[in-house]
Amino acid sequence: MKSSNQNSNPSRAGELFHINIFGKITPVSQNNVPVNVIQRDVIESLKDVQPTLEKKKIYVASAFNERPLKAIWPIIEHEAFAATMDKFRVYVDAINAKRKKENQAIAKHNEECKTITLNEAQQTLKTVFLKKYKTYSATNYNKEVEVFMEEKGIVLPKKKLHIIKYPTELVFQNILHEYAQQLKQHTKVVQDLGIMDERPLKMLEINSVKIAQLERNGIKSIPVTNETIKNHRKHLIDAGVFFDYTFCGHKRGVKVHLNPEILVVLDLKTEKLTTLENQLVTTRTAKSFGNTKEVTVTQVDNTKIKENVNNNSLEKGTASPDPSFAFYSNTTSQLNDFQTRAAAKTVKVSENLEKLIEDKLTFCNNLAQGVYNNWIPIDIRCLHLEAKQGTISREEFKELHIQEQLKSLAKLYKNSNSKPYFGSWLKAYDLLLQYQFLNPNGHLYHKDLMVDKQQEYRWRINHANKWFTKTGVRPLFPHQYLDPTRTTPKEVGFAYTKKAFLKHKKDIQDRMNTENVIILNAKKRKERINYAKKFDLVIRRFMNNRLSLNDTFDYIKNNLPEQYQTKFTEKLLNYSIKTIKTI
């Protein structure tokens, strides 16, 4: 029979951690997650094992003797911030003093290297070595040089060690400020959960873009780029200020621990400053994996691989070049042919359009005779092509557009009893030449802008044709209808159709905005459903002891909206011991 305690009120989440409801948690780990840490003696014994395929290494500061600070409710307030900066300056001063002495020895060593002449085989080994290790930091590069000189007997120059300067201190100060905000937010969640255990500090998340954009009183704290932040971060890692480097993606940056010799925090639970001096010294523990000295990789004996390096002749059966060889050898000629065909097409379009430009008197006479009453407009794509690559001058292009506009206007008089006479079309032609396609300064439009205006005029003429057909009103003669001063409805002029065109554009924009709102609402709805699924999944992983509290909180903060952080706290506080045992 279950005891009465199980039917009591739900316990606080902090008490659940005390009774190991979530399983036994390894006390010391990189981010409070069990980490496979191999003991120092085991690693020493594995140094002689040479794997067949070796991945490129990412060298960071050694973490064997570095442990993150522990605290219950840590924050970095003014006193802790100032103490951390003081320790940082002392630490950097000691590092710089040591490196200056080493740089003197390195300079002497490099001078000696200049006097040594390498033979062809040694020069080849040197080239291979530089290609493999040139991206390493100076500290780790010099270590590899020493190993190479000991194994191969070839003397190579070393890299000069970096001396940390004041700009790096400013960058560290901004990074520390960002860490203070992260700790404050994380500690609030831990306080709300009622957790009283001493735990390793949350890892520092360094996003170079965010650090470069930090502001103080509306002004950037340090006017540098994110690439500069990355360079200073590398120097701090190489100096041992940061350790346990973890890359989290290009958008989120990296995670690191601060060196406990530098970091100082205030524990709100004990109300005392926490430093390395008042921490218990413990060694890292890890699960035993049996005989770790057993080598399971496949050993390949390269001496048994035979190659015919002397026979370089092409014998019968030698593969001929693939088709790509023939293709790339003719790439230049193919590109020239394509450009020639494109230019020829443009010239042909220009020639065809130029043929459509008629003499003014002949053109107006054809309009009076009704030749263009059923005119089909020129394809707008041809006009765009001419505007971009054509050979027609702007004056000729303007005349082409004016004739095109009058041809489209001719359909207004198709079914009219009174046909416009020759003089009316001629006056209309001269009127358009006087004010059409000109800017306020009297200069001609560019050709692409003429095409845009032509599209507007086509819509307005079609709109006017529908209106005249619907109302039965007889249109004025062309020179009167195209008068730009007829801007009121009772004057029945072409200029008034501008108002209808603007309303048409506004209707299109409103329709697009409505469609965008519908799409945006659908996107938000799908995101809410997706966020809820992600939240339930990460909660189940946390309850099944597959994620630590720090990792769960980081995932919710970086991948879910802000309200899920509060929801996470409330969900844990509402769980009782009975509910969790049944999961």
Side-chain angles (χ1 to χ4, degrees):
M1 182 178 295
K2 298 181 180 179
S3 61
S4 59
N5 292 335
Q6 293 179 345
N7 299 324
S8 60
N9 294 329
S11 302
R12 288 178 63 83
E15 299 177 8
L16 305 180
F17 283 94
H18 283 296
I19 60 176
N20 294 331
I21 289 300
F22 302 104
K24 187 175 180 180
I25 300 176
T26 306
V28 181
S29 59
Q30 188 179 40
N31 194 18
N32 203 31
V33 181
V35 181
N36 300 338
V37 182
I38 306 176
Q39 301 296 333
R40 179 184 290 274
D41 56 343
V42 176
I43 291 183
E44 293 292 337
S45 64
L46 290 177
K47 283 186 176 180
D48 297 333
V49 179
Q50 299 294 335
T52 304
L53 297 176
E54 182 179 357
K55 292 184 177 181
K56 185 178 180 179
K57 300 177 182 178
I58 300 177
Y59 278 94
V60 297
S62 173
F64 282 113
N65 298 319
E66 296 169 338
R67 303 290 182 268
L69 288 179
K70 288 181 176 181
I72 302 175
W73 296 340
I75 64 168
I76 301 178
E77 38 77 62
H78 296 293
E79 185 180 357
F81 192 96
T84 301
M85 290 304 302
D86 289 340
K87 287 196 168 191
F88 172 81
R89 296 183 187 99
V90 172
Y91 181 88
V92 167
D93 184 69
I95 288 288
N96 285 342
K98 180 181 177 182
R99 288 185 171 182
K100 287 178 181 178
K101 294 182 180 179
E102 293 179 359
N103 282 340
Q104 293 177 359
I106 291 174
K108 184 178 179 181
H109 170 80
N110 292 343
E111 288 296 330
E112 296 176 355
C113 292
K114 295 179 181 179
T115 61
I116 300 176
T117 304
L118 302 179
N119 57 35
E120 185 177 355
Q122 292 175 334
Q123 189 65 37
T124 302
L125 290 175
K126 177 182 177 181
T127 303
V128 173
F129 177 86
L130 293 177
K131 184 176 180 181
K132 182 176 181 181
Y133 297 107
K134 65 180 179 181
T135 58
Y136 283 24
S137 65
T139 303
N140 296 291
Y141 176 84
N142 294 342
K143 291 180 181 178
E144 295 296 335
V145 168
E146 292 177 358
V147 174
F148 183 78
M149 290 191 298
E150 183 178 352
E151 293 179 352
K152 306 296 183 181
I154 302 174
V155 180
L156 298 179
K158 297 182 179 180
K159 287 185 179 180
K160 183 180 178 182
L161 299 178
H162 178 76
I163 303 299
I164 299 177
K165 299 180 178 64
Y166 180 67
T168 306
E169 180 181 333
L170 294 179
V171 172
F172 176 79
Q173 187 176 12
N174 281 266
I175 292 175
L176 184 62
H177 169 76
E178 176 63 20
Y179 187 42
Q181 302 300 318
Q182 296 175 14
L183 267 186
K184 181 180 178 181
Q185 187 178 15
H186 184 265
T187 299
K188 183 180 182 302
V189 176
V190 175
Q191 284 179 313
D192 293 341
L193 294 175
I195 299 176
M196 304 294 183
D197 289 337
E198 189 178 56
R199 309 164 68 82
L201 296 188
K202 177 189 183 319
M203 294 186 79
L204 162 63
E205 297 182 18
I206 304 178
N207 188 321
S208 58
V209 177
K210 187 175 181 180
I211 299 298
Q213 293 176 351
L214 288 177
E215 294 183 352
R216 182 180 300 174
N217 298 328
I219 302 175
K220 278 192 174 184
S221 299
I222 42 177
V224 296
T225 63
N226 57 326
E227 293 298 328
T228 304
I229 299 295
K230 290 179 182 179
N231 291 334
H232 287 289
R233 185 193 69 200
K234 292 176 182 178
H235 295 324
L236 292 171
I237 292 175
D238 188 48
V241 177
F242 299 141
F243 66 96
D244 280 349
Y245 172 97
T246 305
F247 179 69
C248 301
H250 295 286
K251 293 184 178 180
R252 288 182 53 190
V254 302
K255 284 185 177 181
V256 293
H257 274 304
L258 264 74
N259 192 326
E261 297 179 16
I262 298 173
L263 183 60
V264 178
V265 298
L266 173 65
D267 196 332
L268 294 179
K269 179 64 177 176
T270 61
E271 298 183 353
K272 295 180 180 179
L273 292 176
T274 301
T275 62
L276 182 64
E277 289 76 14
N278 56 21
Q279 294 260 296
L280 292 176
V281 180
T282 57
T283 59
R284 286 192 176 187
T285 59
K287 181 177 179 180
S288 175
F289 292 94
N291 183 13
T292 57
K293 295 184 179 181
E294 181 180 357
V295 180
T296 58
V297 297
T298 304
Q299 299 291 338
V300 178
D301 188 358
N302 292 330
T303 60
K304 294 182 179 180
I305 300 177
K306 296 183 179 180
E307 296 181 355
N308 186 5
V309 297
N310 295 324
N311 188 2
N312 295 323
S313 60
L314 292 176
E315 297 180 356
K316 185 178 180 180
T318 302
S320 60
D322 58 4
S324 62
F325 175 82
F327 172 79
Y328 287 111
S329 63
N330 296 324
T331 300
T332 305
S333 60
Q334 291 176 4
L335 180 60
N336 293 335
D337 291 344
F338 174 78
Q339 293 175 347
T340 302
R341 290 195 300 270
K345 180 181 179 181
T346 305
V347 171
K348 185 177 181 180
V349 170
S350 299
E351 291 176 351
N352 292 336
L353 292 177
E354 197 170 4
K355 292 178 182 178
L356 295 176
I357 302 176
E358 303 179 36
D359 176 70
K360 182 169 66 172
L361 298 179
T362 304
F363 175 72
C364 292
N365 188 44
N366 290 336
L367 286 171
Q369 295 177 6
V371 175
Y372 303 118
N373 288 348
N374 297 314
W375 174 255
I376 298 176
I378 301 173
D379 192 338
I380 200 67
R381 292 172 295 182
C382 295
L383 296 178
H384 278 296
L385 181 61
E386 170 62 32
K388 291 180 180 179
Q389 304 174 4
T391 59
I392 298 178
S393 65
R394 280 197 283 177
E395 289 76 10
E396 292 176 330
F397 202 55
K398 173 188 174 180
E399 196 163 1
L400 174 67
H401 279 293
I402 289 176
Q403 293 186 7
E404 180 71 10
Q405 183 179 352
L406 291 176
K407 290 176 182 177
S408 300
L409 193 68
K411 61 185 175 183
L412 297 182
Y413 308 96
K414 179 179 179 181
N415 300 319
S416 178
N417 294 327
S418 58
K419 304 294 182 181
Y421 54 90
F422 171 82
S424 178
W425 286 112
L426 185 60
K427 289 180 181 179
Y429 196 103
D430 293 334
L431 189 65
L432 294 181
L433 283 176
Q434 181 180 355
Y435 78 90
Q436 202 78 285
F437 303 111
L438 297 175
N439 60 24
N441 296 328
H443 299 295
L444 272 176
Y445 285 168
H446 289 288
K447 294 166 72 172
D448 53 351
L449 184 56
M450 291 184 191
V451 178
D452 294 337
K453 295 298 289 185
Q454 185 63 242
Q455 288 183 284
E456 176 187 336
Y457 294 150
R458 287 181 179 180
W459 187 93
R460 290 166 62 181
I461 291 173
N462 289 332
H463 174 77
N465 186 37
K466 293 177 183 177
W467 185 85
F468 285 122
T469 303
K470 179 180 178 182
T471 60
V473 177
R474 188 182 69 180
L476 299 174
F477 285 137
H479 72 283
Q480 295 173 327
Y481 183 66
L482 294 176
D483 186 353
T485 61
R486 294 178 176 268
T487 58
T488 61
K490 292 184 178 181
E491 293 176 301
V492 195
F494 181 71
Y496 185 71
T497 59
K498 179 75 172 180
K499 184 177 180 180
F501 178 73
L502 295 178
K503 182 179 180 300
H504 170 68
K505 287 181 63 177
K506 184 177 181 300
D507 292 341
I508 293 177
Q509 187 62 41
D510 292 343
R511 185 161 59 250
M512 291 177 59
N513 292 339
T514 303
E515 293 176 355
N516 291 337
V517 169
I518 295 174
I519 294 173
L520 182 61
N521 290 337
K523 182 180 178 181
K524 290 181 178 179
R525 182 176 65 253
K526 296 179 187 299
E527 285 181 349
R528 286 196 299 270
I529 297 173
N530 190 31
Y531 288 148
K533 289 181 179 179
K534 288 183 177 181
F535 180 74
D536 293 339
L537 178 61
V538 74
I539 287 295
R540 285 199 300 269
R541 295 184 66 190
F542 174 71
M543 292 302 176
N544 293 333
N545 199 24
R546 295 174 62 190
L547 280 180
S548 70
L549 177 64
N550 287 351
D551 281 339
T552 305
F553 180 74
D554 286 345
Y555 179 85
I556 293 174
K557 184 185 70 172
N558 295 319
N559 298 279
L560 300 178
E562 187 175 357
Q563 62 267 23
Y564 280 94
Q565 299 180 25
T566 306
K567 188 176 180 181
F568 173 60
T569 305
E570 294 174 353
K571 198 172 186 71
L572 289 182
L573 291 175
N574 291 333
Y575 270 111
S576 64
I577 299 177
K578 179 179 178 180
T579 305
I580 296 176
K581 283 186 176 181
T582 59
I583 292 179

